Amino acid sequence: MKSTPHHAAWFFFLMVLPVILIVSFLVVYPTIKGVVMSFQNYTVFTFWRVRFVGLKNYVEIFTDSDFPSVLLNTLIWIAGSVTLQLILGFILALLLWRPFKGRGIYAGFVFYPWALSGFAIGLVWSWLLNGTFGIVNDVLKKLHLIKENIHFLSDPNYAMLSVILINIWYGIPFFAIMILAALQSIPKEVMESAMIDGAGPVRRLFSIVIPYIKPTLLSSVLLRIIWVMNFPDIIYGTTRGGPAGSTNILPVYMINIVFYETNFSKASAVGVIIIAILLVYTLFYLKLTSYGEMEF
Amino acid sequence: MIIEPVFKFSFFLFKKRSMEHKKLESTIFPEVQIQNCIIYTSSLSLEVSSMRKAFLIVLVVSLVTLSFSVTLNMIQVFTSPERTKILETIIKKFEEKHPGVKINLISPPYETAYQKIYTMVSTRQPLDIVEVGDWSLSALASMGGLENLEKYIEKWEGKDYLIPGILEAARTYKNTAYLLPNAVYVKTLFYRTDVLEKYGIKEPPRTVFEMYGMARYLTRPEINQYGYTFRGKGFPTAFIDLIVTSFFDDIDPNNMYLTKDGKIIWEDPRAKLGLELYVRLYKDTAPKDSINWGFDEQVNAFASGITPLLYQDPDTLGLLKNSLAPEKFATAPLPVGPSGKAYPTFGFAGWGIVSYSKHKDLAWKFIEFFNSPEINAYWCKEYGALPVDKRVYEMDPYFSSEKFYGWKYMFDHPETYQFTAYPLWNERWSEWNQFQQDTMQKVLLGKMTVDEVLKKWAEFWREAGIK
């Protein structure tokens, strides 16, 4: 029997139906539910008398005197973390590009932090950087680099810098892995002919390497910014947004609303704000980088 | 665990019987042996069918056995590895006394425990016994999550031996007992005798000013020596309030944030004096890092001698047992303020039964067992708490030892140590803890003044409807 286009369409639909159902259950439903909840008064104490409250939760968030500093902290957190992760990850990938003895073992150590839980990393670093008992202060003192302990996580001047440094330590392997994979796809002949033509390392980097791996770089930066923005683990494990809100970023702000105010609706409203910011950012980023017109 | 031996036994019986049957057949009828070979394949199918029968029998037996075994789900709040071990020992003892009963202990991390419990109870997740503290009682009871225990308590012989005031404390919400407290928590002053002696100090401080002076004298940052064990995060409410209210002499015995004439304490000039001293304690006598200290860091700093003066609950005794020699520390009554008084609160915790539990009577049996004098003594001694059963104090000399001097003195001097209560029934209580912590940190870091923060705190409680 000859299959008609109508039958083919049904067949394809049936094939993708499981995926549609799974995605709907795991992504679409929670998103819609979250948006709906953000307009309700869904708290632990009102589970049985939930009602719509209009924009009340949004008004509370936007009129919160801490909210502007939360936004600024989020921006600093993303910019500081991703920029340095990218630069250092790039350097690391370049170092690992050329084969050398023990490269596999070395790469294993370098990529290790990426395999750890962000929250566990936060807890470990919170003791390492502890201003009273921390080993980092002890080492710096023994090396005569400091005279008095530095309060890495309790001094607002150092707290954000400290959590960003922890995040950089954690996130470098991601860029290193991605960039290394892209570097390995550059044809050797292209590099060799550039060398024969007399192109130096800097010229080769900017004229061949970077243009070649540009799609990887752009997609990695896009993804990483989204992940870092949604990554409260390290901050929650170290400072919980403190001291005095100096490391309070949007997802930490959201978690604290759930934990301390037990207000799921207000937290959902923060979640919707995060989605909106990321949506605007992604569209702007893709437009700016002409990502859709790129050849892969 | 129960199914496995039953299954093995049934299978053994089945195998033995079929072998005996075949042996008998071949002895009586030799031709059966040949026939057996011929019909070997079909006998296999017969065996499968017999096995199926046996399996069904086993299944039925197992189901019947299972129907007699009950699992109670129980969740704790103040989780720590040591506490979990002690609880598991008690659970084991209970299970031994009640064959067929299993208790599944859920131990969420302390800082997220309240949230987890609220969510589990609100969404009616399988739970029977829940740890209820004074801080979570009203929230859980107001959402209809707790069973009224009055009918059980009335019939319980142990009620006559409870220390005075404890049942009244358990009846904070609508004058109904929704939990049976098993331990009392009151803050007292822990001090390091060895560190104080090293600096020529023989007596612990009696007043908050003496404490400030002593702590300041001890503070030498160049050798990592400080005086006061400050608490910057993880519910620092009690630490702030104990200092501030010591400047008052008219705190409402039923509400720590009101004076006896019904005024919010944060609007009173005495609160400013108290809070200024609290800020000085941080700035002059505590490590700067302590703005980020919670319970663990506090106990760690005290045990290592960095900060030899600590306000804490009796559960600290349980932790110090493993980290500090007993002769190196002692307890003293809380230093009083200029009013000559201090206003501690009577913290308590115990077990409650969730209102939708299917095994309420069994859950009560566990609670009753937990509050028996022997178990209560074991629990309070190992974990570090003040027992709720009067008999325990007579039974075990440990609870009248000198380590309990601080609490004993406070209980014996009610005119000086006037117990009060937090407005825990207020729905914004948990929000208050976070708000007070964050705004206090701003004051400590100079981002907000004492006057500004007091104004904010007063506004918070006015809006929350404290009066």
Side-chain angles (χ1 to χ4, degrees):
Chain A
M1 203 172 89
K2 209 178 169 184
S3 72
T4 63
H6 183 71
H7 278 113
W10 268 106
F11 178 74
F12 287 130
F13 177 72
L14 278 175
M15 288 299 105
V16 294
L17 187 62
V19 178
I20 292 173
L21 289 175
I22 291 169
V23 171
S24 302
F25 180 70
L26 295 175
V27 181
V28 181
Y29 172 72
T31 310
I32 294 170
K33 179 78 180 165
V35 174
V36 173
M37 269 172 71
S38 73
F39 295 102
Q40 293 176 321
N41 67 333
Y42 208 95
T43 72
V44 155
F45 304 98
T46 57
F47 271 174
W48 294 282
R49 44 179 204 274
V50 175
R51 58 185 171 81
F52 281 92
V53 290
L55 292 169
K56 183 177 172 277
N57 295 312
Y58 291 93
V59 172
E60 270 183 30
I61 292 163
F62 286 117
T63 53
D64 182 349
S65 57
D66 288 336
F67 191 65
S69 68
V70 171
L71 282 179
L72 183 66
N73 286 339
T74 312
L75 192 69
I76 296 169
W77 163 251
I78 296 171
S81 303
V82 178
T83 310
L84 284 165
Q85 281 176 3
L86 173 67
I87 294 169
L88 296 172
F90 201 142
I91 293 170
L92 197 64
L94 287 173
L95 291 173
L96 290 169
W97 191 15
R98 296 277 169 255
F100 59 88
K101 210 178 171 186
R103 187 172 73 156
I105 296 168
Y106 183 71
F109 277 112
V110 166
F111 297 152
Y112 178 66
W114 189 245
L116 299 173
S117 134
F119 189 72
I121 288 172
L123 286 177
V124 170
W125 276 97
S126 72
W127 283 104
L128 290 174
L129 294 178
N130 188 297
T132 312
F133 327 99
I135 194 168
V136 174
N137 269 311
D138 197 43
V139 169
L140 291 175
K141 264 186 172 172
K142 282 183 177 149
L143 292 171
H144 302 288
L145 292 172
I146 56 166
K147 279 182 184 168
E148 275 191 23
N149 283 1
I150 298 173
H151 303 289
F152 293 103
L153 299 170
S154 50
D155 184 334
N157 298 319
Y158 293 110
M160 183 52 98
L161 183 68
S162 304
V163 290
I164 287 176
L165 286 173
I166 301 169
N167 196 19
I168 290 167
W169 175 83
Y170 173 68
I172 288 173
F174 169 75
F175 278 108
I177 295 165
M178 297 296 284
I179 294 168
L180 185 61
L183 288 174
Q184 281 164 349
S185 70
I186 300 175
K188 277 183 186 170
E189 304 78 46
V190 179
M191 293 299 285
E192 279 165 8
S193 39
M195 282 169 82
I196 292 164
D197 289 346
V202 177
R203 183 74 197 273
R204 289 202 301 274
L205 178 72
F206 286 100
S207 302
I208 300 173
V209 174
I210 292 180
Y212 235 99
I213 64 168
K214 195 177 165 192
T216 306
L217 286 177
L218 291 177
S219 55
S220 304
V221 169
L222 173 76
L223 280 177
R224 197 72 195 119
I225 286 178
I226 294 171
W227 289 346
V228 168
M229 182 157 179
N230 286 317
F231 186 59
D233 311 32
I234 286 175
I235 293 185
Y236 217 77
T238 48
T239 62
R240 307 216 159 182
S246 56
T247 56
N248 204 5
I249 60 166
L250 275 169
V252 174
Y253 180 67
M254 182 172 73
I255 294 173
N256 282 338
I257 289 174
V258 173
F259 280 170
Y260 297 105
E261 293 180 38
T262 60
N263 190 335
F264 297 95
S265 284
K266 199 171 159 188
S268 297
V270 179
V272 172
I273 293 168
I274 294 175
I275 292 174
I277 292 172
L278 286 176
L279 198 69
V280 171
Y281 150 74
T282 309
L283 292 173
F284 186 71
Y285 182 86
L286 294 179
K287 183 88 183 155
L288 195 76
T289 55
S290 313
Y291 194 78
E293 295 146 27
M294 216 169 272
E295 282 180 28
F296 294 93
Chain B
M1 278 169 85
I2 299 164
I3 306 170
E4 206 180 357
V6 173
F7 181 83
K8 277 182 182 164
F9 183 65
S10 311
F11 191 66
F12 167 71
L13 278 181
F14 157 72
K15 221 173 158 184
K16 199 178 163 204
R17 199 183 302 160
S18 77
M19 276 172 76
E20 277 171 359
H21 182 66
K22 278 184 183 165
K23 205 175 161 190
L24 190 74
E25 271 185 341
S26 6
T27 324
I28 302 170
F29 311 105
E31 67 277 19
V32 170
Q33 280 183 30
I34 305 155
Q35 200 186 346
N36 271 348
C37 294
I38 298 165
I39 60 164
Y40 177 72
T41 323
S42 54
S43 75
L44 263 180
S45 67
L46 272 173
E47 208 164 278
V48 167
S49 135
S50 311
M51 272 182 78
R52 201 175 291 158
K53 271 183 195 166
F55 178 74
L56 277 172
I57 292 165
V58 168
L59 193 70
V60 170
V61 170
S62 309
L63 284 174
V64 170
T65 318
L66 270 178
S67 69
F68 286 111
S69 80
V70 176
T71 300
L72 295 175
N73 289 305
M74 168 174 155
I75 188 163
Q76 64 164 325
V77 173
F78 309 99
T79 307
S80 72
E82 296 79 15
R83 193 180 202 261
T84 306
K85 257 186 226 165
I86 302 163
L87 274 178
E88 280 168 353
T89 310
I90 296 174
I91 288 171
K92 205 176 158 197
K93 282 182 185 172
F94 180 77
E95 286 172 345
E96 280 166 8
K97 273 186 87 172
H98 297 84
V101 179
K102 285 259 151 224
I103 293 183
N104 171 36
L105 177 66
I106 305 164
S107 306
Y110 166 59
E111 276 155 343
T112 57
Y114 286 126
Q115 171 61 26
K116 186 170 175 74
I117 290 171
Y118 294 155
T119 312
M120 282 185 84
V121 172
S122 324
T123 51
R124 300 296 193 248
Q125 287 176 45
L127 206 54
D128 299 285
I129 303 167
V130 59
E131 180 153 41
V132 186
D134 44 358
W135 285 35
S136 61
L137 169 61
S138 303
L140 283 168
S142 69
M143 65 173 82
L146 294 176
E147 179 72 10
N148 179 345
L149 299 185
E150 292 290 354
K151 60 178 182 290
Y152 293 110
I153 293 171
E154 204 185 313
K155 290 178 199 158
W156 177 51
E157 58 97 22
K159 69 174 186 299
D160 300 329
Y161 301 101
L162 287 175
I163 55 168
I166 193 68
L167 264 184
E168 287 70 20
R171 289 173 178 140
T172 308
Y173 188 77
K174 292 190 176 169
N175 203 26
T176 304
Y178 286 101
L179 81 152
L180 181 61
N182 54 50
V184 179
Y185 302 89
V186 176
K187 285 204 167 43
T188 198
L189 177 72
F190 285 74
Y191 64 99
R192 286 287 300 262
T193 44
D194 57 337
V195 178
L196 261 57
E197 266 170 32
K198 190 176 144 192
Y199 292 99
I201 302 166
K202 284 176 185 157
E203 294 284 321
R206 289 173 207 282
T207 69
V208 286
F209 292 120
E210 260 184 54
M211 182 171 76
Y212 171 74
M214 192 182 285
R216 194 167 176 175
Y217 168 71
L218 290 165
T219 300
R220 291 136 213 243
E222 64 283 3
I223 53 163
N224 211 17
Q225 177 67 65
Y226 295 87
Y228 181 69
T229 317
F230 197 81
R231 171 81 162 246
K233 72 168 186 187
F235 310 126
T237 300
F239 301 86
I240 302 168
D241 299 345
L242 275 171
I243 300 286
V244 172
T245 51
S246 72
F247 281 69
F248 288 74
D249 59 356
D250 54 349
I251 294 289
D252 184 340
N254 298 312
N255 192 333
M256 195 184 212
Y257 294 155
L258 290 178
T259 57
K260 280 177 182 165
D261 56 1
K263 286 182 185 156
I264 295 176
I265 62 164
W266 310 118
E267 290 172 326
D268 193 294
R270 289 171 293 181
K272 187 182 174 186
L273 296 173
L275 202 59
E276 276 170 351
L277 177 71
Y278 186 73
V279 175
R280 291 251 66 86
L281 275 169
Y282 170 70
K283 290 194 171 164
D284 302 338
T285 76
K288 294 291 156 279
D289 205 41
S290 58
I291 197 167
N292 231 6
W293 283 5
F295 177 71
D296 288 344
E297 288 88 351
Q298 274 192 308
V299 176
N300 212 334
F302 181 77
S304 59
I306 293 171
T307 52
L309 299 167
L310 166 74
Y311 277 27
Q312 256 313 338
D313 288 304
D315 49 347
T316 306
L317 286 173
L319 285 174
L320 291 177
K321 212 185 271 180
N322 303 321
S323 54
L324 192 62
E327 66 278 7
K328 289 188 175 174
F329 75 97
T331 63
L334 288 169
V336 295
S339 65
K341 288 175 182 168
Y343 290 91
T345 51
F346 206 46
F348 58 88
W351 302 107
I353 302 172
V354 297
S355 53
Y356 56 90
S357 165
K358 286 173 188 160
H359 310 289
K360 286 174 189 162
D361 291 344
L362 200 54
W364 170 254
K365 267 198 174 160
F366 176 78
I367 295 174
E368 204 178 42
F369 174 77
F370 204 96
N371 271 54
S372 62
E374 295 75 22
I375 298 297
N376 197 226
Y378 171 75
W379 169 246
C380 292
K381 200 169 172 179
E382 291 303 312
Y383 173 51
L386 303 175
V388 291
D389 192 310
K390 283 188 274 189
R391 290 170 291 184
V392 174
Y393 291 93
E394 293 155 17
M395 206 171 77
D396 196 329
Y398 172 77
F399 294 104
S400 46
S401 67
E402 58 180 27
K403 281 284 173 280
F404 289 83
Y405 173 74
W407 291 286
K408 193 178 178 309
Y409 186 91
M410 290 198 293
F411 293 142
D412 290 345
H413 294 81
E415 69 293 344
T416 307
Y417 295 95
Q418 300 191 352
F419 281 83
T420 179
Y422 280 115
L424 302 167
W425 53 88
N426 194 294
E427 276 197 8
R428 292 184 70 188
W429 174 249
S430 60
E431 188 187 338
W432 163 247
N433 295 304
Q434 175 74 5
F435 179 71
Q436 196 190 25
Q437 173 187 298
D438 290 350
T439 44
M440 190 69 238
Q441 284 188 342
K442 284 184 183 168
V443 176
L444 298 171
L445 294 169
K447 290 181 173 181
M448 200 185 263
T449 64
V450 167
D451 287 318
E452 284 167 349
V453 86
L454 287 171
K455 205 175 150 198
K456 276 190 175 286
W457 291 357
E459 268 168 28
F460 180 97
W461 282 110
R462 250 197 315 275
E463 279 172 24
I466 193 170
K467 288 200 226 178

